[in-house]
Amino acid sequence: MHKMASTAAGKQRIGKAAKVINKAASEVQITAEQLLREAKHRDLELLPPPQKRQETQEELNSYNRRKRKEFEDYIRKHRQVVHIWIKYATWEERLREIQRARSIYERALDVDHRNVALWLKYAEMEMKNRQVNHARNIWDRAITILPRVNQFWYKYTYMEEMLGNVAGCRQVFERWMEWQPDEQAWHSYINFELRYKEVEKARNIYESFVFVHPEVKNWIKYARFEDKHGYITHARKVFERAVEFFGEEYMDEQLFVAFAKFEEKQKESERVRVVYKYALDKIPKQQARELFKNYTIFEKKFGGRWGIEDVIISKRRFQYEEEVKANPHNYDAWFDYLRLVESDTDSDTVREVYERAIANVPPISEKRHWKRYIYLWVNYALYEELEAMDSTRTRQVYRACLELIPHKKFTFAKLWILYAQFEIRQKNIQFARQALGTSIGKCPKNKLFKWYIQLELQLREFERCRKLYVKYIEFNPQKSTTWMKFAELETILGDLGRAHAINELAINQPRLDMPERTLWRQ
Amino acid sequence: MASAGENEARKLNHQEVVEEDKRQKLPTNWEAKKARLEWELAENEKKKECAAKGEDYERVKLMEISADDADRWERKKKKKNPDPGFSDYAAAQLRQYQRLTKQIKPDMEEYERQREECGEDFYPSANSLLHGTHVPSVEGIDRMVADVEKQIEKRGKYSRRRAYNDDADIDYINERNAKFNKKAERFYGKYTAEIKQNLERGTAV
């Protein structure tokens, strides 16, 4: 009963008007933005409390006490939030309560001694309030506890310099350099010394610097520093030491470029050339592009014609090397390369290049692939004969070439003929005949025959001519020109009987090309 | 007739007066503005020509600059030290340090005097006993304090006050919230632009 009454009463309290009959969403909904806008419009945000002025010392003290209590409460709640500590300390500082500010900073450092901002603000407070030794203590502690935070060192040295304590500043820098910091730190030390025109000291610093950070650009900076202050011999020595230091394994073209530029400024062209040549010899071509460029520019400015040519040729050589490496069957590139090499270097290099070139035998044994390739051989042989004047080698070349060609499949009459011509030039008819004989045996070709016959005619060796003609006809009885020529030969020799016989034979050949034109005329 | 001549003179004078009045009324930089507009027109013309001919306008322009002009401009550009934006506090401090040290003008007489006094100690090593013995002069302290105050003053100018935009949308409930929303917009705005539009519209596209 009791329960039912209470629930009934509860239900009644809702009332009819408040009961939700239609639970669907209305068409017009209020949005969050509208709510915010209305809230702002009605200005429900609390205004800051009115500013109170303190009239008496009492009021001031009580205000301060209250403020301090607030701060302390906040700190107690949010101990790790550094900016609260800083706000508290700066507030105390504004009241000129330096001792209180100090204690706040110390407590903050107890909480988090690695926070850079705290140290900076603490030191700045002491500096602002002319507490020099306090500031120095703080800086010393900071650089001892956090030596890798560069800001402390920079600000400490700056403070000492501002105070006019140059020796102290120097000592701080020395302490810093013991930690072997980054390059910028070394540079700031060097610039500090240069501000007071202490070139000797700067040099000492550079000495240690290039060993702590042994990079090429630091050596170059050292040398340039010497150069700027006019110590040319020193600069040169620095460069030489740098070259030694990096030795052969870690050569870098930048160093040599800088060295050469320096010598150029000193108008020592010989030394420049030496530097460039040395560098170009040692450094592999891929990394030496800058060097090449600068060398060319230098030679264009100073060198004689041969100098320039020298450079350009080396450059071209390098280019060609690349090309042929990329595509060893690109015979055009080989040709260009060989031409270049022939025009200027000694025969050993030429030979070497030739050997390399001809090592790239075309992969497929078809004549058209070989057509270009064969010219390599031809050029080689000609070179040996004409430039190197080495006939044994020439013979070797020819022989090797002739062996290489797969005569069963195809052949190059050209080559045989050239070889024969060469032997004739060498006054070796026997060899020539041998060669031609072999050629006819291995791979008879019209051209060969014709040429051989021609040769024998010129030598007036008519017997041999006859034999050759016989052979030729055996090989290719269809060629009417051959028959004709044979007959002609006999006629010239005055042997008409044979001529007639030949003609008869010719006519009786079952197959003949262009019979009408020729034989019937005879 | 004298009066005709007078009339003539008066008319001319009047015209002159009117013109001068007009000239005065013009804004002071009218000449400069006109010159600049004409120059810009000419530039556009040249650009169109070059485009028609297929040349690169920049290169053509470069070819017309003389060598020493180019040198001068290069030097000027090198001197400028544009702010590369915030990367980290150490870099910012380094930039400040470099600016400050460039402005130091060392007092060489004072320096020489100190060198005489200290003798060997003037070039201390890392652990020499010079540390802690220096008593700074009043001028030194003054100099340091002045410098620190200058730094603080410059620091204050690093962030400027932004204007309050009355009709910007209100998406905050108090000032802290407003700042936070602006920060979020700064960082995420460009990625969430579409989502925001969809939400405001009520439906996705």
Side-chain angles (χ1 to χ4, degrees):
Chain A
M1 195 68 133
H2 202 53
K3 245 194 229 170
M4 274 169 65
S6 62
T7 42
K11 271 208 192 120
Q12 261 181 343
R13 254 180 259 135
I14 292 177
K16 278 217 173 116
K19 251 199 193 161
V20 179
I21 307 165
N22 179 8
K23 299 213 172 137
S26 91
E27 290 94 26
V28 180
Q29 292 280 318
I30 192 165
T31 58
E33 292 125 342
Q34 180 67 20
L35 284 170
L36 287 174
R37 237 177 280 142
E38 286 185 3
K40 181 113 179 112
H41 177 67
R42 287 185 207 156
D43 218 8
L44 292 178
E45 189 171 331
L46 292 163
L47 291 162
Q51 277 215 341
K52 285 177 252 170
R53 268 179 38 214
Q54 280 81 33
E55 299 281 327
T56 67
Q57 187 65 31
E58 264 299 319
E59 282 185 16
L60 180 62
N61 284 346
S62 71
Y63 168 72
N64 281 352
R65 223 177 300 129
R66 199 158 19 93
K67 208 69 211 281
R68 281 192 190 118
K69 180 175 174 327
E70 273 176 27
F71 272 123
E72 291 288 342
D73 283 341
Y74 212 122
I75 286 173
R76 203 179 326 119
K77 278 185 247 170
H78 312 277
R79 220 162 146 254
Q80 303 293 333
V81 180
V82 173
H83 82 268
I84 296 299
W85 290 99
I86 294 180
K87 257 177 96 172
Y88 185 11
T90 39
W91 179 80
E92 292 285 5
E93 190 196 335
R94 254 187 38 221
L95 298 178
R96 295 274 170 274
E97 301 268 7
I98 306 298
Q99 199 53 37
R100 283 185 189 264
R102 280 191 195 126
S103 90
I104 293 165
Y105 275 121
E106 291 294 338
R107 284 162 61 198
L109 285 170
D110 276 340
V111 168
D112 182 7
H113 67 274
R114 296 192 68 99
N115 190 303
V116 174
L118 260 183
W119 287 107
L120 289 174
K121 276 265 182 271
Y122 190 3
E124 193 181 80
M125 180 204 77
E126 301 286 7
M127 289 202 286
K128 225 187 338 174
N129 291 292
R130 309 176 69 97
Q131 308 294 314
V132 174
N133 284 331
H134 276 286
R136 279 179 179 150
N137 281 342
I138 293 162
W139 284 129
D140 271 328
R141 280 164 65 194
I143 61 178
T144 313
I145 294 178
L146 298 166
R148 289 295 179 192
V149 175
N150 289 347
Q151 289 102 299
F152 297 151
W153 296 100
Y154 280 125
K155 284 190 179 281
Y156 190 4
T157 53
Y158 185 68
M159 182 187 88
E160 294 290 0
E161 207 177 334
M162 279 288 118
L163 289 170
N165 180 12
V166 184
C169 184
R170 206 169 271 136
Q171 186 167 10
V172 178
F173 267 122
E174 283 292 330
R175 284 162 73 186
W176 193 10
M177 295 306 130
E178 280 195 337
W179 286 97
Q180 298 190 349
D182 60 355
E183 299 177 3
Q184 189 50 52
W186 288 94
H187 285 308
S188 59
Y189 187 10
I190 291 165
N191 291 339
F192 158 75
E193 293 289 3
L194 290 176
R195 238 177 281 144
Y196 294 95
K197 317 260 190 291
E198 298 269 3
V199 181
E200 190 53 45
K201 284 283 317 182
R203 186 175 294 133
N204 292 345
I205 303 168
Y206 259 118
E207 282 289 324
S208 1
F209 173 44
V210 290
F211 285 103
V212 168
H213 291 282
E215 290 184 29
V216 177
K217 69 171 161 68
N218 296 334
W219 281 98
I220 297 177
K221 273 201 188 130
Y222 182 10
R224 202 167 285 155
F225 151 78
E226 294 280 14
D227 191 13
K228 206 161 63 160
H229 292 270
Y231 296 90
I232 309 295
T233 26
H234 278 128
R236 195 168 284 134
K237 236 191 287 209
V238 167
F239 271 121
E240 286 166 10
R241 273 169 61 201
V243 170
E244 252 183 72
F245 180 80
F246 287 104
E248 308 245 330
E249 303 99 45
Y250 296 102
M251 284 197 141
D252 191 349
E253 57 169 354
Q254 292 299 331
L255 179 58
F256 290 102
V257 168
F259 194 178
K261 281 215 174 97
F262 160 74
E263 294 287 5
E264 215 179 300
K265 247 175 46 182
Q266 309 307 319
K267 314 247 190 290
E268 302 255 359
S269 342
E270 265 317 300
R271 296 189 74 111
V272 181
R273 258 187 220 110
V274 167
V275 168
Y276 274 126
K277 287 222 158 55
Y278 179 72
L280 283 169
D281 281 332
K282 303 291 173 135
I283 298 183
K285 299 291 191 291
Q286 282 85 355
Q287 292 142 12
R289 280 184 218 283
E290 270 299 312
L291 260 174
F292 264 128
K293 207 165 67 164
N294 284 309
Y295 190 19
T296 347
I297 295 175
F298 164 72
E299 286 289 358
K300 285 189 187 148
K301 275 198 263 185
F302 293 102
R305 198 169 150 252
W306 61 269
I308 302 178
E309 279 190 9
D310 205 19
V311 176
I312 296 185
I313 283 175
S314 348
K315 219 174 170 175
R316 286 251 204 84
R317 282 198 70 162
F318 173 47
Q319 263 177 311
Y320 282 131
E321 289 277 339
E322 293 220 303
E323 260 182 65
V324 299
K325 219 173 298 204
N327 185 6
H329 292 294
N330 178 6
Y331 296 122
D332 291 317
W334 278 114
F335 282 128
D336 291 328
Y337 189 15
L338 286 164
R339 216 179 323 148
L340 176 70
V341 164
E342 267 182 35
S343 69
D344 113 303
T345 26
D346 56 349
S347 46
D348 278 325
T349 352
V350 178
R351 279 202 190 109
E352 190 212 316
V353 179
Y354 262 118
E355 294 290 332
R356 277 170 60 204
I358 58 191
N360 297 314
V361 180
I364 315 173
S365 289
E366 275 194 33
K367 190 156 181 189
R368 55 193 171 85
H369 291 281
W370 283 68
K371 271 202 165 106
R372 310 228 57 195
Y373 173 63
I374 217 66
Y375 269 104
L376 276 174
W377 282 101
V378 172
N379 280 346
Y380 190 10
L382 283 173
Y383 167 74
E384 288 288 358
E385 199 181 332
L386 300 170
E387 305 277 340
M389 312 281 193
D390 193 345
S391 52
T392 13
R393 279 198 75 97
T394 326
R395 198 166 293 125
Q396 276 175 359
V397 170
Y398 272 122
R399 290 250 171 86
C401 175
L402 290 165
E403 270 167 58
L404 187 54
I405 307 173
H407 294 283
K408 296 288 177 1
K409 300 212 185 128
F410 55 84
T411 190
F412 289 94
K414 216 184 341 255
L415 215 47
W416 289 110
I417 292 170
L418 278 171
Y419 183 29
Q421 278 172 337
F422 160 70
E423 292 291 6
I424 292 170
R425 282 198 284 274
Q426 303 297 315
K427 314 230 192 298
N428 268 328
I429 304 276
Q430 204 43 37
F431 275 148
R433 288 214 180 97
Q434 257 180 13
L436 288 168
T438 0
S439 77
I440 294 175
K442 269 196 189 170
C443 44
K445 256 178 103 168
N446 294 332
K447 208 152 89 172
L448 269 174
F449 272 114
K450 267 200 266 219
W451 198 84
Y452 199 179
I453 291 167
Q454 205 44 17
L455 172 68
E456 297 295 357
L457 264 177
Q458 283 175 341
L459 292 174
R460 301 274 178 261
E461 297 270 345
F462 295 118
E463 263 309 307
R464 304 192 69 104
C465 266
R466 280 203 188 103
K467 264 200 256 171
L468 280 174
Y469 265 122
V470 169
K471 274 231 171 90
Y472 195 1
I473 292 167
E474 279 173 21
F475 164 59
N476 191 356
Q478 291 158 11
K479 248 188 129 48
S480 49
T481 26
T482 332
W483 288 105
M484 266 174 59
K485 285 250 164 61
F486 199 0
E488 258 182 53
L489 172 66
E490 298 294 349
T491 336
I492 292 168
L493 291 177
D495 204 340
L496 285 174
R498 288 191 70 130
H500 276 306
I502 290 162
N503 279 332
E504 287 294 324
L505 271 173
I507 296 167
N508 289 334
Q509 285 299 316
R511 297 185 55 194
L512 208 43
D513 54 352
M514 296 195 278
E516 325 79 54
R517 186 168 73 87
T518 61
L519 291 187
W520 296 108
R521 276 206 303 143
Q522 290 268 13
Chain B
M1 296 233 290
S3 68
E6 269 175 41
N7 262 337
E8 196 57 43
R10 215 173 287 148
K11 235 198 286 180
L12 286 174
N13 269 340
H14 185 68
Q15 277 177 0
E16 281 287 330
V17 166
V18 166
E19 274 180 36
E20 189 165 346
D21 191 41
K22 250 200 272 178
R23 250 182 284 140
Q24 268 192 341
K25 294 244 182 73
L26 289 177
T28 34
N29 57 355
W30 176 248
E31 296 293 316
K33 249 197 185 169
K34 234 184 9 164
R36 191 175 166 81
L37 283 172
E38 279 178 15
W39 181 83
E40 272 179 15
L41 264 176
E43 286 287 305
N44 281 337
E45 280 289 320
K46 273 194 229 145
K47 275 202 189 132
K48 275 196 217 120
E49 271 179 35
C50 283
K53 275 194 269 179
E55 288 172 355
D56 191 1
Y57 175 63
E58 291 293 315
R59 283 187 74 101
V60 169
K61 204 160 165 206
L62 279 174
M63 281 196 275
E64 293 184 9
I65 304 175
S66 71
D68 22 312
D69 270 350
D71 260 342
R72 246 189 301 136
W73 283 332
E74 273 289 320
R75 253 178 278 138
K76 266 204 193 159
K77 260 200 271 177
K78 243 204 290 191
K79 264 198 247 167
K80 277 201 210 280
N81 191 5
D83 187 1
F86 180 81
S87 56
D88 73 303
Y89 290 107
Q93 195 276 328
L94 180 60
R95 192 177 149 85
Q96 180 202 37
Y97 177 77
Q98 282 168 336
R99 188 191 80 232
L100 291 171
T101 47
K102 266 195 214 124
Q103 295 169 352
I104 296 181
K105 287 179 198 27
D107 187 356
M108 296 305 288
E109 292 165 5
E110 180 66 33
Y111 181 70
E112 290 299 324
R113 204 176 52 75
Q114 272 188 9
R115 201 216 298 241
E116 305 301 314
E117 269 182 49
C118 297
E120 192 45 48
D121 265 343
F122 200 53
Y123 302 103
S125 69
N127 38 21
S128 80
L129 294 173
L130 183 70
H131 182 67
T133 58
H134 179 256
V135 177
S137 63
V138 177
E139 296 94 32
I141 300 182
D142 281 339
R143 197 172 35 202
M144 179 191 75
V145 171
D147 191 79
V148 169
E149 313 235 292
K150 259 210 307 208
Q151 284 177 30
I152 294 173
E153 200 193 308
K154 190 144 203 302
R155 215 186 299 153
K157 294 193 233 153
Y158 276 159
S159 315
R160 66 166 216 265
R161 257 187 108 84
R162 313 282 161 161
Y164 176 66
N165 195 354
D166 243 351
D167 26 318
D169 213 17
I170 299 173
D171 51 355
Y172 49 84
I173 54 165
N174 65 40
E175 287 302 320
R176 255 178 89 86
N177 193 196
K179 285 204 202 85
F180 180 82
N181 287 348
K182 286 204 188 71
K183 183 177 184 182
E185 187 64 33
R186 234 186 301 141
F187 285 102
Y188 295 114
K190 68 168 124 85
Y191 305 109
T192 53
E194 287 178 18
I195 302 173
K196 192 170 181 184
Q197 284 168 11
N198 289 341
L199 284 172
E200 285 180 4
R201 203 182 306 120
T203 47
V205 173

